[in-house]
Structure formats: C-alpha cells, structure tokens
Amino acid sequence: MKYILVTGGVISGIGKGIIASSIGTILKSCGLRVTAIKIDPYINIDAGTFSPYEHGEVFVLNDGGEVDLDLGNYERFLDINLYKDNNITTGKIYQHVINKERHGDYLGKTVQVVPHITDAVQEWVMNQAKVPVDDDKKEPQICVIELGGTIGDIEGMPFIEAFRQFQFKAKRENFCNIHVSLVPQPNATGEQKTKPTQNSVRALRGLGLSPDLIVCRSAKPIEMAVKEKISMFCHVEPEQVIFIHDVSSTYRVPILLEEQGIIKYFKQRLNLPIDDQPSDLLMKWKKMACRYERLLKVCSIALVGKYTKLSDCYASVFKALEHSALAINYKLDLMYIDSTELERSTEAENSVKYHQAWHKLCKADGILVPGGFGIRGTEGKLQAISWARTKKKPFLGVCLGMQLAVVEFARNCLNWEDANSTEFDPDTKNPVVIDMPEHNPGDMGGTMRLGKRRTVFKTENSVLRKLYGDEMFVEERHRHRYEVNPELTHCFEEKGLKFVGHDTEGSRMEIIELENHPYFVGVQFHPEFSSRPMKPSPPYLGLLLAATGTLNAYLQRGCKLSP
C-alpha cells in the first residue's frame, strides 16, 4: 500500500480536495486502484448536523454516512463509492479511544494524545485504506489522504504527529507528502509573493514532515523565477514545485498536473509499476476539458434555495447540472435565487430585490428546487413551483423540493388552502407531508432515513423510468425525515399528479410526475450524489433536455445522446 498525504498551508479552502482528487485520477489513469480518506479536525462526529454555511453541503454516501463535500469530489473524479469511515474526524477518533478506555482495553494505563490518539489515527488509516471502493471489489493500491485545515491549527496537531510517526512505519518508498500552498499576488505591486509558502513549509518541517511536492496555488500562471525561488528556499528540486493557477473548470486540473511530470515523479518516488504515459482515461478527461471550454450554446437554470450566498452549499447539485449540460453540449448558466426574495414580504421591504429575483426566475429555461430544512424561504419556493407548473417551465424538485411540489399542488389544484408539511405546521388540517414513523425527534445526528435505497417504478408510462434506461427499479441515496402522506395520494393522482415510484414496500412515495407538462418531476432521493462527469444523473439530464427543448427527441432516439 502506498500513502499520499495532502496537507495545506497559508489559508483553508485553497483547493486541497480538488488537487487530491486530481492526483488520484492521474494514478487511476495509470491502471492503479485508488482510494481516498478525508481527515477533518473538528470535534463533530460527522457533518450531519452542520449548517451548509459552515463547511458547504453535507454529502451522503451509499452506507448513509453524512460526510464532508470533498468525499463527493473523490467519488466524482475517481468514480468510486466510499464509506463513512473514509471520513475521519477528531470526534470519531476520540469517541473510539474513549470507548476502548471505558471497556478497559488500555489495562489501567493513562490514556494520552501520544501514543493512544495518534496510534488510533494510524490504525484507522491502515484499516480503511484496504477497503475496496471499486466495483471489482479488489483491494486498493494507493490511498490519498487529505488533512483538512492548515498547518499550525491546534486541532490538527494530533494528526500531524500521527503522520510524522506513520512515515517511518510505512517506510519512505510507501509514503509521500504533498503540501498545497498559496502564492498571493497583491494588486499594489503585481508581484507574486513566495514568503507565505516559505513560512508554511518551515512550519510543516518543524512538525516533522518534509514535503515531497509543493503545489502552489495562484490566480494567474506562476513565473519560472518564482518556481526557482520556492525551490531554493524550501529545499526541494525545481521539478518538485508544481503550479496550479485558477482555470476555467476543475476538469483541467489533472491535465495541468500531468503536464508538469507528476506521473514520472510518482513512478520514481513511490516505485510504482506504471508507464510514464497516462492511459485512455486521462485522454478522455482532456477531451472533456477541451469540449467544456468550446461550448457556445447556453442553458440557464434557476436554483431556488435558501443557502445561495455560498455556492459550496449546493456543490453536488451544481456538478450534476454541469455534467448533464456537458453531456448535451450546452454551457450551464446557473442562477442562484434566494427563495425569500420571491416572497411578498420582500416586495414590501425591498421591491428591487423582489423584482430582480422574479426577473431571474422568469428568464430561466428550467427551475430546480433542491433539498433543505426549516421553514425559512418555503413560501418563496412554493411561488417558484407554482410558476413552473402553470407556465409549463421544466421543473425538478429534490427531497424538500418534491415535498413542496406536493404542498403547492394540494393548495392550488385540490383547493386545500392550509395544506402543509408537519415540519412547518404540526397542526395543519391537511398534512400532505408527515413525519416518518421511524423518525426520532430527540437526537439530531444520524436519525434520518439515510443512504442508498431502492425505488421501484409502478408504471411503464414514466418519463423518469425512460431516462433511467427503462429499468424496473433504481437505487439512489436519501437524506430526509419527512415523507409524502401515503393516505392522501389518491386525491393527487385523480387530478394528474402521479406517484410513479415507491419504495420496495409500496408505502413510501419516491417520485412524482405531472401529466400534460413538458417536465415536472420530483424525487425524494438525492440523485446529484451519484452523478459522474461521464455518467450524468438521469433526473438532472431530463431537466436540461427539457430546458433546451430536446427531451422528446432524446426519448425517441431510445435515450441516446446525439453525437
């Protein structure tokens, strides 16, 4: 087993996740089996209870793990399926060690950060690195480990110490450290500054880890003189300094790394049994990156949500839309609309914001209402759904988006004026969305219906079934506490809102489709978590096809994309 540790310096959010994913992609393109581990030094057990404004979206895995969004990057880039134990947090490690102490496993010893916490980290990494993540179920050969945060953070110290020890346990030929740093360029001088990187590398060395590669992030391409300066002051060869500037798409990052000789370096440094040249997989990435940059036709989608101030809150949704747009040769224009700005209360408080939000919504080719929690912004989402239904605009509702589509239909088509979800109004007379029987109202963490579940199509006359290749069932990832009330579904079906997909017992509503509409689809699951650059998610692909007016032609071709 070969281990590649990716650390970061100067600032967080520098792009360690994309760089770690890109390194994995390059090594996978050389024919190696790659897995990935993300270490988050926060004390939370997992990401499940975070607000999306804290660390971005909560990504859900097949086994129901609620994890950091970087695991989504790993899955998309490497086309693998990870597990909740591929996300290590300080909370998980301490809980594991404290449980062992309570069980008496330390035989009366004083339990300390060194050696007990650091040993637990190393043991966790070695065990999880062996778990198969590909469809062939073979043990991985390479494990890429990303350490969240920046060097010098107090909460990251036990992990740094664990890997300082681990480099000797694994042996030099099996362990490699990549340090990602920032090269800022102040507007006042326009000069690229190396001092932050020098200080960051010095701090890393002071903690016992020496970087094998220094990846320098910058807004613009870095000059050769800067590379030589970093090489000299950070005590590495010039070829060990890699530059990654801001690019038009993340698909370009693996190509930038490969062009700077990273395959040859890894082959020598880790003694890998590979050729110097990448395989067809990286050539596909190159073609995809070039195609992305040459797209001319534009499709605009309005994303109506409540976390629109930070794009990472909907990272997987954006990627699923981007994959689908790329598949049909369109450039995606994603317009984020804060759902509260569509509400009447905003018109009274700030009419400019209100009319700007509605202008965006009206000019969009399609409308997407993603998942979420809480009552804030729900009236605005209902307004957007009503607009999509009545104006026959292509619409996709995901999780809460589907539930609100049911609420909107009940209010405006069934004339149940107080129809609502018990999440927002526990005393409503028409509870069209209700708590699930197994929902535990006590603890918040890990108490939802999570992970991959099967959805069975109950009719052949379904646009989503056709988009999924006319399969009898699909398996997608879920994350919800509430569901459509199964006792009221017959009322909706009589008026044309069809529940075309159920769970395996037939009691839980999973997919809705509206008759006599170009594309009005709601799904209880989160199909964005399974979308891949070369395998777009069918519900999102359907939205893009409908928004570009090509859905019927696609279905008539037997769900084959035109060349």
Side-chain angles (χ1 to χ4, degrees), residues 284-302:
K284 285 180 182 176
W285 274 86
K286 284 184 181 179
K287 287 177 185 174
M288 188 166 61
C290 291
R291 196 154 58 88
Y292 180 88
E293 287 159 7
R294 288 199 302 263
L295 295 173
L296 297 174
K297 295 182 287 185
V298 177
C299 177
S300 60
I301 300 294

Side-chain angles (χ1 to χ4, degrees), residues 59-67 71 75 80-84 133 135 137 449-454 475-478 526 529-530 532:
F59 191 80
V60 179
L61 303 171
N62 278 346
D63 65 355
E66 296 172 287
V67 296
L71 275 83
E75 288 204 344
I80 55 177
N81 290 305
L82 298 171
Y83 301 90
K84 57 186 171 189
V133 291
D135 291 336
K137 300 299 179 190
R449 184 170 178 250
L450 293 163
K452 187 164 81 171
R453 311 275 177 148
R454 181 170 290 189
E475 291 182 329
E476 294 279 11
R477 301 176 187 183
H478 293 68
H526 288 267
F529 295 144
S530 306
R532 303 286 185 262

Side-chain angles (χ1 to χ4, degrees), residues 181-386:
S181 185
L182 177 70
V183 176
Q185 191 170 5
N187 290 331
T189 62
E191 184 186 1
Q192 292 171 330
K193 296 292 186 181
T194 64
K195 192 62 73 179
T197 297
Q198 292 176 44
N199 290 338
S200 180
V201 171
R202 187 182 300 117
L204 184 64
R205 281 216 170 89
L207 295 168
L209 284 171
S210 291
D212 296 288
L213 287 174
I214 300 173
V215 178
C216 298
R217 287 280 294 108
S218 62
K220 296 175 182 175
I222 293 177
E223 298 153 13
M224 187 52 67
V226 176
K227 180 172 188 170
E228 289 167 357
K229 190 174 180 182
I230 291 170
S231 166
M232 181 170 65
F233 285 106
C234 294
H235 196 63
V236 292
E237 295 284 344
E239 56 266 27
Q240 290 173 266
V241 182
I242 307 287
F243 296 153
I244 302 291
H245 59 273
D246 292 350
V247 286
S248 57
S249 83
T250 52
Y251 307 128
R252 186 59 67 184
V253 177
I255 297 154
L256 279 177
L257 288 168
E258 188 265 331
E259 286 170 352
Q260 294 179 65
I262 204 166
I263 294 177
K264 185 180 177 183
Y265 179 80
F266 279 134
K267 182 181 178 181
Q268 294 171 347
R269 174 67 181 76
L270 295 173
N271 194 23
L272 297 174
I274 56 174
D275 296 327
D276 287 349
Q277 296 301 316
S279 68
D280 294 342
L281 179 62
L282 206 58
M283 292 306 296
K284 285 180 182 176
W285 274 86
K286 284 184 181 179
K287 287 177 185 174
M288 188 166 61
C290 291
R291 196 154 58 88
Y292 180 88
E293 287 159 7
R294 288 199 302 263
L295 295 173
L296 297 174
K297 295 182 287 185
V298 177
C299 177
S300 60
I301 300 294
L303 188 154
V304 183
K306 60 188 279 192
Y307 308 114
T308 53
K309 291 182 178 66
L310 181 67
S311 60
D312 270 357
C313 296
Y314 298 110
S316 291
V317 170
F318 170 68
K319 287 297 178 186
L321 288 167
E322 190 179 63
H323 299 161
S324 297
L326 187 58
I328 61 171
N329 295 314
Y330 272 79
K331 188 183 281 288
L332 175 69
D333 175 21
L334 184 59
M335 300 183 291
Y336 292 96
I337 300 175
D338 188 332
S339 55
T340 57
E341 293 176 6
L342 298 171
E343 296 174 359
R344 287 288 180 191
S345 57
T346 302
E347 185 181 22
E349 294 165 11
N350 190 332
S351 60
V352 174
K353 264 189 179 179
Y354 175 81
H355 290 293
Q356 284 175 341
W358 272 101
H359 176 68
K360 275 187 188 176
L361 189 75
C362 294
K363 73 176 186 179
D365 299 315
I367 296 169
L368 170 70
V369 177
F373 298 90
I375 193 168
R376 184 176 67 83
T378 52
E379 288 303 318
K381 291 176 185 176
L382 288 166
Q383 294 281 342
I385 293 165
S386 184

Side-chain angles (χ1 to χ4, degrees), residues 7 39-42 90 113 117-118 121 147-164 207 209:
T7 56
I39 298 175
D40 286 303
Y42 47 67
T90 295
V113 173
I117 295 294
T118 52
V121 172
L147 176 58
T150 52
I151 293 303
D153 293 346
I154 291 173
E155 59 263 36
M157 290 298 183
F159 296 104
I160 294 289
E161 173 58 22
F163 286 107
R164 185 197 67 76
L207 295 168
L209 284 171

